[in-house]
Short mmCIF file of all heavy atoms in Angstrom, two decimals:
data_model
loop_
_atom_site.label_atom_id
_atom_site.label_comp_id
_atom_site.label_asym_id
_atom_site.label_seq_id
_atom_site.Cartn_x
_atom_site.Cartn_y
_atom_site.Cartn_z
N MET L 1 6.43 -49.38 87.54
CA MET L 1 6.03 -50.71 87.38
C MET L 1 4.98 -50.71 86.25
O MET L 1 4.02 -49.99 86.27
CB MET L 1 5.57 -51.25 88.60
CG MET L 1 5.11 -52.72 88.47
SD MET L 1 4.90 -53.90 89.86
CE MET L 1 4.28 -53.07 91.15
N SER L 2 5.16 -51.77 85.43
CA SER L 2 4.18 -51.92 84.21
C SER L 2 2.89 -52.63 84.71
O SER L 2 2.98 -53.53 85.54
CB SER L 2 4.92 -52.71 83.16
OG SER L 2 3.97 -53.03 82.22
N ASN L 3 1.72 -52.22 84.18
CA ASN L 3 0.64 -52.90 84.42
C ASN L 3 0.19 -53.93 83.33
O ASN L 3 -0.92 -54.41 83.31
CB ASN L 3 -0.53 -51.93 84.58
CG ASN L 3 -0.51 -51.13 85.90
OD1 ASN L 3 0.01 -51.67 86.84
ND2 ASN L 3 -1.02 -50.02 85.86
N ALA L 4 1.17 -54.16 82.50
CA ALA L 4 0.96 -55.07 81.29
C ALA L 4 0.65 -56.48 81.79
O ALA L 4 1.18 -56.94 82.83
CB ALA L 4 2.07 -55.12 80.43
N GLN L 5 -0.30 -57.03 81.17
CA GLN L 5 -0.68 -58.51 81.49
C GLN L 5 -0.12 -59.39 80.37
O GLN L 5 0.02 -58.87 79.16
CB GLN L 5 -2.16 -58.59 81.65
CG GLN L 5 -2.63 -57.92 82.89
CD GLN L 5 -4.11 -58.02 82.95
OE1 GLN L 5 -4.92 -58.19 82.08
NE2 GLN L 5 -4.59 -58.01 84.23
N HIS L 6 0.16 -60.62 80.68
CA HIS L 6 0.70 -61.54 79.60
C HIS L 6 -0.05 -62.91 79.60
O HIS L 6 -0.47 -63.29 80.57
CB HIS L 6 2.23 -61.82 79.90
CG HIS L 6 2.94 -60.55 79.78
ND1 HIS L 6 3.15 -59.67 80.83
CD2 HIS L 6 3.62 -60.06 78.78
CE1 HIS L 6 3.90 -58.57 80.50
NE2 HIS L 6 4.24 -58.82 79.19
N ARG L 7 0.04 -63.41 78.51
CA ARG L 7 -0.59 -64.75 78.28
C ARG L 7 0.41 -65.70 77.49
O ARG L 7 1.15 -65.17 76.65
CB ARG L 7 -1.86 -64.63 77.43
CG ARG L 7 -2.89 -63.71 78.11
CD ARG L 7 -4.10 -63.63 77.35
NE ARG L 7 -5.14 -64.59 77.77
CZ ARG L 7 -6.10 -65.15 77.08
NH1 ARG L 7 -6.29 -64.75 75.85
NH2 ARG L 7 -6.95 -66.02 77.55
N ALA L 8 0.53 -66.89 77.82
CA ALA L 8 1.29 -67.87 77.14
C ALA L 8 0.39 -68.39 75.95
O ALA L 8 -0.84 -68.73 76.24
CB ALA L 8 1.72 -68.98 77.97
N VAL L 9 0.93 -68.52 74.79
CA VAL L 9 0.27 -69.10 73.67
C VAL L 9 1.11 -70.29 73.26
O VAL L 9 2.32 -70.21 73.10
CB VAL L 9 0.17 -68.08 72.48
CG1 VAL L 9 -0.63 -68.57 71.30
CG2 VAL L 9 -0.43 -66.69 73.02
N PHE L 10 0.42 -71.47 73.08
CA PHE L 10 1.20 -72.71 72.87
C PHE L 10 0.28 -73.71 72.24
O PHE L 10 -0.93 -73.66 72.27
CB PHE L 10 1.85 -73.15 74.17
CG PHE L 10 0.91 -73.33 75.28
CD1 PHE L 10 0.39 -74.65 75.48
CD2 PHE L 10 0.41 -72.34 76.02
CE1 PHE L 10 -0.55 -74.87 76.49
CE2 PHE L 10 -0.42 -72.52 77.05
CZ PHE L 10 -0.92 -73.79 77.33
N ASP L 11 0.95 -74.78 71.71
CA ASP L 11 0.25 -76.11 71.32
C ASP L 11 0.57 -77.05 72.34
O ASP L 11 1.65 -77.03 73.07
CB ASP L 11 0.89 -76.48 69.90
CG ASP L 11 0.76 -75.44 68.93
OD1 ASP L 11 -0.17 -74.57 68.99
OD2 ASP L 11 1.57 -75.47 67.89
N PHE L 12 -0.30 -78.04 72.45
CA PHE L 12 -0.11 -79.08 73.47
C PHE L 12 -0.63 -80.43 73.06
O PHE L 12 -1.44 -80.53 72.30
CB PHE L 12 -0.64 -78.70 74.81
CG PHE L 12 -2.17 -78.72 74.85
CD1 PHE L 12 -2.89 -79.86 75.05
CD2 PHE L 12 -2.83 -77.57 74.69
CE1 PHE L 12 -4.32 -79.80 75.13
CE2 PHE L 12 -4.18 -77.45 74.64
CZ PHE L 12 -4.92 -78.56 74.89
N GLU L 13 -0.06 -81.45 73.54
CA GLU L 13 -0.43 -82.79 73.49
C GLU L 13 -0.34 -83.49 74.81
O GLU L 13 0.60 -83.44 75.40
CB GLU L 13 0.41 -83.64 72.41
CG GLU L 13 0.32 -83.23 70.97
CD GLU L 13 1.17 -84.14 70.15
OE1 GLU L 13 1.23 -85.34 70.45
OE2 GLU L 13 1.70 -83.49 69.17
N ILE L 14 -1.52 -83.98 75.25
CA ILE L 14 -1.54 -84.64 76.62
C ILE L 14 -2.07 -86.10 76.30
O ILE L 14 -2.96 -86.36 75.65
CB ILE L 14 -2.63 -83.91 77.46
CG1 ILE L 14 -2.23 -82.43 77.71
CG2 ILE L 14 -2.87 -84.68 78.80
CD1 ILE L 14 -3.30 -81.61 78.50
N ALA L 15 -1.28 -86.94 76.94
CA ALA L 15 -1.61 -88.38 76.86
C ALA L 15 -2.05 -88.82 78.21
O ALA L 15 -1.42 -88.49 79.27
CB ALA L 15 -0.35 -89.28 76.42
N PHE L 16 -3.09 -89.63 78.30
CA PHE L 16 -3.57 -90.14 79.57
C PHE L 16 -3.01 -91.51 79.88
O PHE L 16 -2.89 -92.29 78.94
CB PHE L 16 -5.08 -90.10 79.53
CG PHE L 16 -5.72 -88.78 79.36
CD1 PHE L 16 -6.29 -88.40 78.13
CD2 PHE L 16 -5.68 -87.85 80.42
CE1 PHE L 16 -6.71 -87.16 77.97
CE2 PHE L 16 -6.27 -86.63 80.26
CZ PHE L 16 -6.76 -86.14 79.12
N SER L 17 -2.80 -91.83 81.06
CA SER L 17 -2.27 -93.04 81.49
C SER L 17 -3.17 -94.25 81.31
O SER L 17 -2.71 -95.40 81.23
CB SER L 17 -1.80 -92.97 83.00
OG SER L 17 -2.82 -92.73 83.84
N ASN L 18 -4.49 -93.87 81.23
CA ASN L 18 -5.49 -95.00 81.03
C ASN L 18 -5.94 -95.08 79.49
O ASN L 18 -6.93 -95.67 79.13
CB ASN L 18 -6.70 -94.80 81.90
CG ASN L 18 -7.41 -93.54 81.62
OD1 ASN L 18 -6.88 -92.65 81.06
ND2 ASN L 18 -8.63 -93.49 82.14
N GLY L 19 -5.14 -94.43 78.60
CA GLY L 19 -5.42 -94.42 77.18
C GLY L 19 -6.10 -93.15 76.65
O GLY L 19 -6.59 -92.44 77.54
N GLY L 20 -5.86 -92.95 75.40
CA GLY L 20 -6.47 -91.72 74.84
C GLY L 20 -5.55 -90.47 75.06
O GLY L 20 -4.49 -90.54 75.59
N GLY L 21 -6.07 -89.33 74.57
CA GLY L 21 -5.22 -88.14 74.65
C GLY L 21 -6.05 -86.81 74.21
O GLY L 21 -7.24 -87.03 73.88
N LEU L 22 -5.46 -85.80 74.36
CA LEU L 22 -6.07 -84.48 74.06
C LEU L 22 -5.02 -83.52 73.46
O LEU L 22 -3.82 -83.58 73.88
CB LEU L 22 -6.54 -83.93 75.39
CG LEU L 22 -7.28 -82.59 75.40
CD1 LEU L 22 -8.63 -82.72 74.70
CD2 LEU L 22 -7.53 -82.17 76.79
N CYS L 23 -5.46 -82.85 72.39
CA CYS L 23 -4.36 -81.89 71.89
C CYS L 23 -5.10 -80.63 71.50
O CYS L 23 -6.32 -80.51 71.37
CB CYS L 23 -3.83 -82.44 70.62
SG CYS L 23 -4.82 -82.80 69.27
N GLY L 24 -4.26 -79.57 71.52
CA GLY L 24 -4.84 -78.24 71.14
C GLY L 24 -3.72 -77.35 70.59
O GLY L 24 -2.63 -77.62 70.74
N TRP L 25 -4.06 -76.24 69.82
CA TRP L 25 -3.15 -75.44 69.19
C TRP L 25 -3.62 -74.05 69.41
O TRP L 25 -4.83 -73.69 69.59
CB TRP L 25 -3.05 -75.76 67.77
CG TRP L 25 -4.27 -75.67 66.96
CD1 TRP L 25 -4.70 -74.56 66.23
CD2 TRP L 25 -5.31 -76.69 66.85
NE1 TRP L 25 -5.93 -74.87 65.68
CE2 TRP L 25 -6.30 -76.12 66.05
CE3 TRP L 25 -5.43 -78.00 67.30
CZ2 TRP L 25 -7.44 -76.90 65.66
CZ3 TRP L 25 -6.61 -78.64 67.02
CH2 TRP L 25 -7.53 -78.09 66.17
N ASP L 26 -2.62 -73.19 69.49
CA ASP L 26 -2.83 -71.62 69.85
C ASP L 26 -3.64 -71.55 71.07
O ASP L 26 -4.43 -70.57 71.15
CB ASP L 26 -3.48 -70.99 68.68
CG ASP L 26 -2.52 -70.72 67.43
OD1 ASP L 26 -1.30 -70.72 67.80
OD2 ASP L 26 -2.89 -70.51 66.31
N PHE L 27 -3.42 -72.39 72.05
CA PHE L 27 -4.11 -72.30 73.32
C PHE L 27 -3.55 -71.15 74.06
O PHE L 27 -2.39 -70.85 74.01
CB PHE L 27 -3.94 -73.64 74.10
CG PHE L 27 -4.77 -73.80 75.34
CD1 PHE L 27 -6.03 -74.22 75.12
CD2 PHE L 27 -4.34 -73.47 76.61
CE1 PHE L 27 -6.89 -74.40 76.24
CE2 PHE L 27 -5.10 -73.61 77.71
CZ PHE L 27 -6.49 -74.09 77.56
N ARG L 28 -4.42 -70.34 74.74
CA ARG L 28 -3.97 -69.29 75.50
C ARG L 28 -4.20 -69.44 77.01
O ARG L 28 -5.22 -69.87 77.40
CB ARG L 28 -4.67 -67.92 75.06
CG ARG L 28 -4.09 -67.45 73.70
CD ARG L 28 -4.96 -66.28 73.20
NE ARG L 28 -4.24 -65.33 72.46
CZ ARG L 28 -3.72 -65.55 71.23
NH1 ARG L 28 -3.82 -66.76 70.73
NH2 ARG L 28 -3.20 -64.67 70.56
N LEU L 29 -3.25 -69.11 77.90
CA LEU L 29 -3.35 -69.25 79.30
C LEU L 29 -2.79 -67.96 79.98
O LEU L 29 -1.62 -67.63 79.67
CB LEU L 29 -2.65 -70.44 79.72
CG LEU L 29 -2.83 -70.97 81.23
CD1 LEU L 29 -4.34 -71.38 81.35
CD2 LEU L 29 -1.94 -72.18 81.50
N ASP L 30 -3.55 -67.37 80.86
CA ASP L 30 -3.00 -66.21 81.63
C ASP L 30 -1.80 -66.61 82.44
O ASP L 30 -1.85 -67.68 82.98
CB ASP L 30 -4.14 -65.63 82.50
CG ASP L 30 -5.28 -65.13 81.82
OD1 ASP L 30 -5.25 -64.92 80.60
OD2 ASP L 30 -6.29 -64.89 82.52
N ILE L 31 -0.77 -65.79 82.51
CA ILE L 31 0.47 -65.99 83.27
C ILE L 31 0.73 -64.86 84.07
O ILE L 31 0.31 -63.67 83.71
CB ILE L 31 1.59 -66.49 82.42
CG1 ILE L 31 1.89 -65.40 81.36
CG2 ILE L 31 1.33 -67.83 81.67
CD1 ILE L 31 3.28 -65.71 80.62
N PRO L 32 1.51 -64.96 85.17
CA PRO L 32 1.67 -63.91 86.14
C PRO L 32 2.79 -62.86 85.71
O PRO L 32 2.95 -61.79 86.26
CB PRO L 32 2.11 -64.52 87.44
CG PRO L 32 2.68 -65.79 86.99
CD PRO L 32 1.94 -66.30 85.71
N GLY L 33 3.55 -63.12 84.60
CA GLY L 33 4.63 -62.20 84.29
C GLY L 33 4.95 -62.31 82.78
O GLY L 33 4.11 -62.82 81.99
N ASP L 34 6.14 -61.79 82.38
CA ASP L 34 6.49 -61.82 80.95
C ASP L 34 7.40 -62.97 80.62
O ASP L 34 7.95 -63.03 79.40
CB ASP L 34 7.07 -60.51 80.54
CG ASP L 34 8.39 -60.20 81.39
OD1 ASP L 34 8.76 -61.03 82.07
OD2 ASP L 34 8.93 -59.19 80.99
N ALA L 35 7.56 -63.97 81.47
CA ALA L 35 8.33 -65.17 81.14
C ALA L 35 7.71 -66.34 81.77
O ALA L 35 6.99 -66.20 82.78
CB ALA L 35 9.76 -65.00 81.64
N ILE L 36 7.99 -67.56 81.34
CA ILE L 36 7.35 -68.77 81.78
C ILE L 36 8.30 -69.92 81.65
O ILE L 36 8.99 -70.06 80.74
CB ILE L 36 6.03 -68.88 81.10
CG1 ILE L 36 5.06 -69.86 81.91
CG2 ILE L 36 6.11 -69.46 79.66
CD1 ILE L 36 4.63 -69.22 83.18
N HIS L 37 8.24 -70.96 82.62
CA HIS L 37 8.94 -72.14 82.50
C HIS L 37 7.93 -73.18 81.95
O HIS L 37 6.72 -73.18 82.42
CB HIS L 37 9.35 -72.60 83.85
CG HIS L 37 10.49 -71.84 84.38
ND1 HIS L 37 11.84 -71.97 83.95
CD2 HIS L 37 10.53 -70.75 85.27
CE1 HIS L 37 12.60 -71.15 84.56
NE2 HIS L 37 11.82 -70.36 85.34
N GLU L 38 8.32 -73.92 81.00
CA GLU L 38 7.39 -74.94 80.36
C GLU L 38 6.76 -75.86 81.40
O GLU L 38 5.72 -76.35 81.27
CB GLU L 38 7.98 -75.50 79.18
CG GLU L 38 8.13 -74.63 77.98
CD GLU L 38 8.58 -75.36 76.68
OE1 GLU L 38 8.49 -76.52 76.57
OE2 GLU L 38 8.98 -74.69 75.79
N SER L 39 7.58 -76.28 82.38
CA SER L 39 7.12 -77.27 83.34
C SER L 39 5.94 -76.65 84.13
O SER L 39 5.01 -77.27 84.42
CB SER L 39 8.19 -77.76 84.31
OG SER L 39 8.78 -76.68 84.96
N TRP L 40 6.15 -75.38 84.56
CA TRP L 40 5.05 -74.77 85.22
C TRP L 40 3.76 -74.61 84.29
O TRP L 40 2.61 -74.79 84.87
CB TRP L 40 5.48 -73.27 85.58
CG TRP L 40 4.45 -72.53 86.45
CD1 TRP L 40 4.36 -72.46 87.81
CD2 TRP L 40 3.39 -71.64 85.90
NE1 TRP L 40 3.30 -71.64 88.24
CE2 TRP L 40 2.76 -71.18 87.04
CE3 TRP L 40 3.01 -71.22 84.67
CZ2 TRP L 40 1.64 -70.23 86.89
CZ3 TRP L 40 2.00 -70.37 84.48
CH2 TRP L 40 1.27 -69.90 85.63
N LEU L 41 3.92 -74.30 83.05
CA LEU L 41 2.89 -74.14 82.14
C LEU L 41 2.08 -75.52 81.97
O LEU L 41 0.95 -75.57 81.98
CB LEU L 41 3.42 -73.62 80.79
CG LEU L 41 2.44 -73.21 79.79
CD1 LEU L 41 1.46 -72.09 80.28
CD2 LEU L 41 3.17 -72.76 78.52
N ALA L 42 2.86 -76.55 81.89
CA ALA L 42 2.31 -77.89 81.79
C ALA L 42 1.41 -78.17 82.97
O ALA L 42 0.26 -78.73 82.81
CB ALA L 42 3.31 -78.94 81.51
N GLU L 43 1.92 -77.93 84.13
CA GLU L 43 1.18 -78.11 85.39
C GLU L 43 -0.11 -77.26 85.40
O GLU L 43 -1.18 -77.75 85.87
CB GLU L 43 1.96 -77.79 86.65
CG GLU L 43 3.13 -78.79 86.84
CD GLU L 43 3.99 -78.29 88.01
OE1 GLU L 43 3.62 -77.37 88.76
OE2 GLU L 43 5.15 -78.93 88.20
N ARG L 44 -0.04 -75.95 84.97
CA ARG L 44 -1.20 -75.20 84.99
C ARG L 44 -2.32 -75.63 84.05
O ARG L 44 -3.46 -75.61 84.37
CB ARG L 44 -0.82 -73.76 84.63
CG ARG L 44 0.06 -72.96 85.62
CD ARG L 44 -0.61 -72.65 86.95
NE ARG L 44 -0.72 -73.82 87.85
CZ ARG L 44 0.21 -74.45 88.59
NH1 ARG L 44 1.50 -74.05 88.41
NH2 ARG L 44 0.03 -75.50 89.40
N ILE L 45 -1.89 -76.08 82.84
CA ILE L 45 -2.92 -76.48 81.94
C ILE L 45 -3.70 -77.75 82.45
O ILE L 45 -4.94 -77.84 82.35
CB ILE L 45 -2.41 -76.73 80.46
CG1 ILE L 45 -3.54 -76.94 79.57
CG2 ILE L 45 -1.45 -77.84 80.38
CD1 ILE L 45 -3.14 -76.93 78.13
N VAL L 46 -3.00 -78.66 83.07
CA VAL L 46 -3.62 -79.83 83.63
C VAL L 46 -4.50 -79.41 84.71
O VAL L 46 -5.67 -79.88 84.75
CB VAL L 46 -2.44 -80.87 84.04
CG1 VAL L 46 -3.19 -81.91 84.97
CG2 VAL L 46 -1.81 -81.43 82.91
N GLU L 47 -4.06 -78.58 85.59
CA GLU L 47 -4.85 -78.07 86.74
C GLU L 47 -6.09 -77.30 86.16
O GLU L 47 -7.16 -77.57 86.76
CB GLU L 47 -3.99 -77.28 87.66
CG GLU L 47 -4.62 -76.78 88.93
CD GLU L 47 -3.75 -75.97 89.82
OE1 GLU L 47 -2.77 -76.60 90.29
OE2 GLU L 47 -3.98 -74.68 89.89
N ASP L 48 -5.82 -76.33 85.35
CA ASP L 48 -7.02 -75.51 84.94
C ASP L 48 -8.05 -76.32 84.17
O ASP L 48 -9.29 -75.94 84.30
CB ASP L 48 -6.45 -74.35 84.00
CG ASP L 48 -6.06 -73.14 84.64
OD1 ASP L 48 -5.88 -73.16 85.96
OD2 ASP L 48 -5.86 -72.09 84.05
N MET L 49 -7.70 -77.41 83.50
CA MET L 49 -8.65 -78.17 82.77
C MET L 49 -9.16 -79.35 83.63
O MET L 49 -10.07 -80.13 83.25
CB MET L 49 -8.03 -78.71 81.55
CG MET L 49 -7.70 -77.55 80.52
SD MET L 49 -6.85 -78.27 79.07
CE MET L 49 -8.28 -78.89 78.14
N ARG L 50 -8.67 -79.31 84.95
CA ARG L 50 -9.03 -80.39 85.87
C ARG L 50 -8.98 -81.79 85.25
O ARG L 50 -9.86 -82.62 85.44
CB ARG L 50 -10.49 -80.12 86.31
CG ARG L 50 -10.66 -78.85 87.11
CD ARG L 50 -11.94 -78.50 87.64
NE ARG L 50 -12.06 -77.34 88.47
CZ ARG L 50 -12.63 -76.23 88.11
NH1 ARG L 50 -13.27 -76.16 87.06
NH2 ARG L 50 -12.65 -75.19 88.95
N LEU L 51 -7.72 -82.07 84.68
CA LEU L 51 -7.51 -83.38 84.16
C LEU L 51 -7.07 -84.39 85.08
O LEU L 51 -6.27 -84.01 86.02
CB LEU L 51 -6.60 -83.27 82.91
CG LEU L 51 -7.07 -82.31 81.85
CD1 LEU L 51 -5.91 -82.17 80.78
CD2 LEU L 51 -8.36 -82.76 81.27
N LEU L 52 -7.50 -85.60 84.98
CA LEU L 52 -6.95 -86.72 85.86
C LEU L 52 -6.32 -87.74 85.02
O LEU L 52 -6.51 -87.88 83.85
CB LEU L 52 -8.10 -87.31 86.57
CG LEU L 52 -9.02 -86.42 87.36
CD1 LEU L 52 -10.26 -87.19 87.95
CD2 LEU L 52 -8.31 -85.76 88.57
N MET L 53 -5.39 -88.49 85.66
CA MET L 53 -4.65 -89.65 85.02
C MET L 53 -3.93 -89.16 83.82
O MET L 53 -3.78 -89.87 82.77
CB MET L 53 -5.63 -90.70 84.62
CG MET L 53 -6.42 -91.25 85.92
SD MET L 53 -7.46 -92.70 85.66
CE MET L 53 -6.13 -93.99 85.51
N VAL L 54 -3.22 -88.05 83.94
CA VAL L 54 -2.36 -87.59 82.89
C VAL L 54 -1.06 -88.25 82.93
O VAL L 54 -0.39 -88.39 83.96
CB VAL L 54 -2.14 -86.03 83.08
CG1 VAL L 54 -1.10 -85.49 82.10
CG2 VAL L 54 -3.38 -85.27 82.88
N GLY L 55 -0.71 -88.83 81.79
CA GLY L 55 0.57 -89.59 81.68
C GLY L 55 1.69 -88.65 81.21
O GLY L 55 2.82 -88.70 81.77
N SER L 56 1.41 -87.83 80.21
CA SER L 56 2.49 -86.85 79.70
C SER L 56 1.95 -85.66 79.13
O SER L 56 0.71 -85.73 78.67
CB SER L 56 3.45 -87.63 78.70
OG SER L 56 2.71 -87.90 77.64
N VAL L 57 2.61 -84.58 79.23
CA VAL L 57 2.27 -83.28 78.53
C VAL L 57 3.42 -82.87 77.72
O VAL L 57 4.53 -82.76 78.23
CB VAL L 57 1.89 -82.28 79.64
CG1 VAL L 57 1.49 -80.86 78.88
CG2 VAL L 57 0.88 -82.68 80.55
N VAL L 58 3.20 -82.66 76.39
CA VAL L 58 4.22 -82.11 75.54
C VAL L 58 3.67 -80.74 74.99
O VAL L 58 2.54 -80.66 74.47
CB VAL L 58 4.45 -83.13 74.39
CG1 VAL L 58 5.47 -82.52 73.36
CG2 VAL L 58 4.89 -84.44 74.81
N LEU L 59 4.64 -79.79 75.17
CA LEU L 59 4.28 -78.42 74.69
C LEU L 59 5.14 -78.10 73.54
O LEU L 59 6.28 -78.49 73.51
CB LEU L 59 4.47 -77.37 75.79
CG LEU L 59 3.78 -77.63 77.16
CD1 LEU L 59 4.16 -76.53 78.10
CD2 LEU L 59 2.24 -77.63 76.94
N SER L 60 4.64 -77.21 72.62
CA SER L 60 5.48 -76.79 71.56
C SER L 60 4.94 -75.34 71.12
O SER L 60 3.93 -74.98 71.54
CB SER L 60 5.24 -77.73 70.26
OG SER L 60 4.04 -77.84 69.91
N ASN L 61 5.82 -74.72 70.35
CA ASN L 61 5.51 -73.33 69.89
C ASN L 61 5.17 -72.38 71.03
O ASN L 61 4.22 -71.58 70.89
CB ASN L 61 4.44 -73.39 68.82
CG ASN L 61 4.79 -74.21 67.60
OD1 ASN L 61 5.90 -74.19 67.16
ND2 ASN L 61 3.88 -74.94 67.13
N VAL L 62 5.78 -72.54 72.14
CA VAL L 62 5.44 -71.72 73.32
C VAL L 62 6.00 -70.30 73.16
O VAL L 62 7.19 -70.03 72.70
CB VAL L 62 6.07 -72.36 74.61
CG1 VAL L 62 5.74 -71.36 75.80
CG2 VAL L 62 5.56 -73.66 74.91
N ARG L 63 5.11 -69.31 73.27
CA ARG L 63 5.54 -67.89 73.26
C ARG L 63 4.65 -67.06 74.17
O ARG L 63 3.64 -67.52 74.65
CB ARG L 63 5.34 -67.32 71.88
CG ARG L 63 3.97 -67.48 71.30
CD ARG L 63 4.02 -67.57 69.69
NE ARG L 63 2.70 -67.65 69.15
CZ ARG L 63 1.91 -68.75 69.02
NH1 ARG L 63 2.52 -69.86 69.49
NH2 ARG L 63 0.77 -68.75 68.49
N VAL L 64 5.14 -65.86 74.68
CA VAL L 64 4.50 -65.12 75.61
C VAL L 64 4.11 -63.81 74.84
O VAL L 64 4.98 -63.26 74.12
CB VAL L 64 5.38 -64.80 76.87
CG1 VAL L 64 4.67 -63.69 77.68
CG2 VAL L 64 5.71 -66.01 77.63
N VAL L 65 2.87 -63.44 75.04
CA VAL L 65 2.37 -62.19 74.32
C VAL L 65 1.81 -61.20 75.40
O VAL L 65 1.26 -61.63 76.39
CB VAL L 65 1.39 -62.56 73.32
CG1 VAL L 65 1.85 -63.38 72.16
CG2 VAL L 65 0.05 -63.23 73.90
N ALA L 66 1.96 -59.94 75.16
CA ALA L 66 1.34 -58.91 75.99
C ALA L 66 -0.14 -58.88 75.71
O ALA L 66 -0.38 -58.48 74.55
CB ALA L 66 2.08 -57.62 75.93
N GLU L 67 -0.96 -59.29 76.53
CA GLU L 67 -2.41 -59.34 76.21
C GLU L 67 -3.20 -59.34 77.45
O GLU L 67 -2.69 -60.12 78.47
CB GLU L 67 -2.67 -60.60 75.35
CG GLU L 67 -3.99 -60.76 74.81
CD GLU L 67 -4.16 -62.01 73.93
OE1 GLU L 67 -3.90 -61.84 72.78
OE2 GLU L 67 -4.50 -63.05 74.48
N ALA L 68 -4.22 -58.69 77.59
CA ALA L 68 -5.04 -58.65 78.75
C ALA L 68 -5.57 -59.89 79.08
O ALA L 68 -5.99 -60.74 78.36
CB ALA L 68 -6.15 -57.61 78.59
N HIS L 69 -5.59 -60.18 80.49
CA HIS L 69 -6.18 -61.46 80.96
C HIS L 69 -7.68 -61.43 80.74
O HIS L 69 -8.36 -60.39 80.83
CB HIS L 69 -5.89 -61.64 82.45
CG HIS L 69 -4.46 -61.97 82.77
ND1 HIS L 69 -4.00 -61.98 84.01
CD2 HIS L 69 -3.33 -62.11 81.98
CE1 HIS L 69 -2.73 -62.23 83.99
NE2 HIS L 69 -2.32 -62.23 82.77
N ARG L 70 -8.24 -62.65 80.43
CA ARG L 70 -9.70 -62.64 80.13
C ARG L 70 -10.42 -63.53 81.03
O ARG L 70 -11.60 -63.72 80.90
CB ARG L 70 -9.82 -63.24 78.74
CG ARG L 70 -9.25 -62.19 77.65
CD ARG L 70 -9.72 -62.46 76.31
NE ARG L 70 -9.06 -61.49 75.47
CZ ARG L 70 -8.62 -61.78 74.29
NH1 ARG L 70 -8.56 -62.97 73.82
NH2 ARG L 70 -8.02 -60.84 73.52
N ARG L 71 -9.72 -64.03 82.00
CA ARG L 71 -10.34 -64.94 83.07
C ARG L 71 -11.41 -64.06 83.90
O ARG L 71 -11.10 -63.04 84.36
CB ARG L 71 -9.41 -65.50 83.89
CG ARG L 71 -10.09 -66.43 85.01
CD ARG L 71 -8.95 -67.15 85.80
NE ARG L 71 -8.29 -68.00 84.83
CZ ARG L 71 -8.03 -69.28 84.95
NH1 ARG L 71 -8.62 -69.98 85.88
NH2 ARG L 71 -7.30 -69.92 84.06
N VAL L 72 -12.56 -64.60 83.95
CA VAL L 72 -13.63 -63.90 84.73
C VAL L 72 -13.65 -64.55 86.09
O VAL L 72 -13.87 -65.77 86.21
CB VAL L 72 -15.03 -63.95 84.04
CG1 VAL L 72 -16.05 -63.32 84.88
CG2 VAL L 72 -14.89 -63.36 82.64
N ALA L 73 -13.62 -63.81 87.15
CA ALA L 73 -13.65 -64.26 88.49
C ALA L 73 -15.10 -64.98 88.71
O ALA L 73 -16.04 -64.26 88.34
CB ALA L 73 -13.44 -63.23 89.55
N SER L 74 -15.08 -66.10 89.30
CA SER L 74 -16.39 -66.78 89.48
C SER L 74 -17.11 -66.12 90.74
O SER L 74 -16.46 -65.71 91.73
CB SER L 74 -16.26 -68.28 89.69
OG SER L 74 -15.45 -68.53 90.74
N ALA L 75 -18.35 -65.95 90.64
CA ALA L 75 -19.08 -65.44 91.78
C ALA L 75 -19.32 -66.58 92.70
O ALA L 75 -19.97 -67.55 92.39
CB ALA L 75 -20.42 -64.84 91.20
N ALA L 76 -19.12 -66.35 94.08
CA ALA L 76 -19.25 -67.41 94.99
C ALA L 76 -20.51 -67.12 95.79
O ALA L 76 -21.04 -66.04 96.02
CB ALA L 76 -18.06 -67.45 95.87
#
């Protein structure tokens, strides 16, 4: 079994239902394997960024790279 870690790299546009939006490019997000469904990825970015009132999420240039996870566990 491989110990390789993977990250999704992608561009995104998020529109809020109360107006405004947010966009990013070459955004990286840790993922649990070497493949990803875009719907899962859209849900994770909204959840990780703790966004509210999201109307739509559009992803583009989605790719998976073998790269170590960089998330640091928070101390409780």
Side-chain angles (χ1 to χ4, degrees):
M1 178 163 36
S2 172
N3 288 331
Q5 295 180 330
H6 296 84
R7 301 178 94 202
V9 182
F10 57 96
D11 303 335
F12 68 87
E13 291 183 34
I14 297 173
F16 297 105
S17 58
N18 62 342
L22 181 67
C23 64
W25 58 95
D26 285 337
F27 193 82
R28 285 173 151 65
L29 191 66
D30 297 346
I31 59 174
D34 61 0
I36 199 71
H37 290 279
E38 287 191 17
S39 60
W40 183 90
L41 190 56
E43 290 174 13
R44 291 296 74 73
I45 190 171
V46 169
E47 185 178 293
D48 272 13
M49 295 177 78
R50 297 184 174 112
L51 301 175
L52 303 175
M53 301 186 75
V54 172
S56 65
V57 179
V58 177
L59 304 178
S60 58
N61 302 319
V62 178
R63 57 206 181 277
V64 174
V65 298
E67 187 173 272
H69 291 179
R70 297 196 177 134
R71 182 172 297 238
V72 176
S74 59

